Amino acid sequence: MNPVTVITGGSRGIGAATARRLAAEGHHVAIGYRRDHDAAAQVVADIRAHGRHAVAVPADTCDPDQVQSLFDAAADLGPLTGLVNNAGVTSPVGPFTDLRADHLRRVVDVNLIGYVLCAQQAARRLTTGGAIVNISSAAATLGSPGEYIHYAAVKAATDTLTIGLAKELAPRGIRVNAVAPGIIRTDIHADSGVPDRADTAVGRIPLGRAGEPDEVAGAIAWLLGPDATYTTGAVLRVSGGL
Ligand code: NAP
């Protein structure tokens, strides 16, 4: 039977690359997204071109009812085997003293509350084992001074969530790991007001370039797959050495 995987934030960036990668490896895929319907429809078409089943559901991960709808739609593809907890946002880069409360709350809502709500749905529905991959960030250990310390702190919470869930769910055969990307070429940098960050940050990256979404997707696919059956509670850094 084909694996069935939910990917939040599957319309663009790392989530979209992961959806295409997992489809190529035999997964049926349910993607959640917030508002980019055209991008989500293109990902669904690409998954179906691999001969897999796919569904795209507009579901804000901060809303428990919408999260439930996403997982209900995934159930139509077959028994759930995995979750990629990926939908995330940053906020405008800047000094800590300028951080606005509404930006802080949004970052916590999407990157922490949303991850917990989705992991909870997955944990309830993965009745015969499975795997969860939480997308963290290298920021969790770097702290992101002068950029977005609050985002870094929430990503550190993702790592803690990963460790706790890995231990709690291990007796049920559910593995939980995280991938911590460095600077990856996606639209997220435009949302934080630095659209060219993947180029301007190159001097900080030991490998001398930003990463591509496909390079993160490969790590996620490995953690979900049969070569990672003894790996749980790990945070796999995919950051070019950052
Ligand atoms: P991206 O290109 O901006 O894509 C974000 C995706 O998340 C989109 O599909 C978006 O949907 C969706 N989304 C945003 N808020 C949502 C919400 N509340 N509910 C449901 N979906 C939502 O981002 P990315 O760079 O691929 O980032 C993916 C993950 O990697 C995030 O957790 C991010 O923190 C992490 N990360 C990224 C980098 C990097 O350099 N890119 C580095 C470290 C960690 P719409 O298309 O509908 O807007």
Side-chain angles (χ1 to χ4, degrees):
M1 248 190 352
N2 298 69
V4 174
T5 302
V6 168
I7 305 174
T8 65
S11 56
R12 296 185 290 112
I14 292 167
T18 303
R20 294 181 173 110
R21 171 68 181 247
L22 293 181
E25 295 191 4
H27 293 236
H28 301 318
V29 182
I31 63 167
Y33 67 103
R34 193 178 36 165
R35 59 186 172 203
D36 195 335
H37 306 294
D38 292 346
Q42 185 58 56
V43 174
V44 165
D46 292 345
I47 295 167
R48 290 181 179 153
H50 284 286
R52 315 298 171 214
H53 302 314
V55 63
V57 181
D60 188 324
T61 51
C62 307
D63 181 323
D65 294 335
Q66 293 183 36
V67 169
Q68 184 160 344
S69 300
L70 169 61
F71 281 82
D72 286 348
D76 292 338
L77 306 181
L80 185 72
T81 61
L83 163 68
V84 182
N85 228 342
N86 167 77
V89 293
T90 54
S91 58
V93 297
F96 182 66
T97 46
D98 290 352
L99 173 62
R100 283 171 31 180
D102 58 334
H103 288 158
L104 168 61
R105 285 189 203 286
R106 187 70 189 158
V107 164
V108 174
D109 273 354
V110 179
N111 298 318
L112 182 57
I113 310 275
Y115 274 41
V116 171
L117 292 174
C118 292
Q120 192 179 41
Q121 280 291 330
R124 288 175 181 154
R125 294 170 189 248
L126 290 168
T127 49
T128 56
I132 297 172
V133 177
N134 295 320
I135 309 307
S136 175
S137 173
T141 56
L142 298 171
S144 301
E147 293 186 324
Y148 29 55
I149 292 170
H150 58 299
Y151 168 83
V154 170
K155 288 300 189 182
T158 303
D159 295 352
T160 307
L161 177 70
T162 300
I163 292 165
L165 275 177
K167 291 176 178 171
E168 184 162 329
L169 300 181
R172 292 174 45 203
I174 301 169
R175 298 180 299 101
V176 186
N177 294 287
V179 168
I183 296 171
I184 310 301
R185 196 176 296 280
T186 73
D187 297 339
I188 204 169
H189 308 296
D191 294 342
S192 56
V194 194
D196 57 351
R197 186 161 184 258
D199 298 314
T200 56
V202 158
R204 287 195 264 156
I205 305 170
L207 278 184
R209 64 172 177 85
E212 298 298 330
D214 284 342
E215 296 178 286
V216 184
I220 296 166
W222 181 78
L223 285 168
L224 288 174
D227 287 335
T229 46
Y230 200 57
T231 304
T232 197
V235 180
L236 177 53
R237 204 173 182 86
V238 183
S239 66
L242 191 66

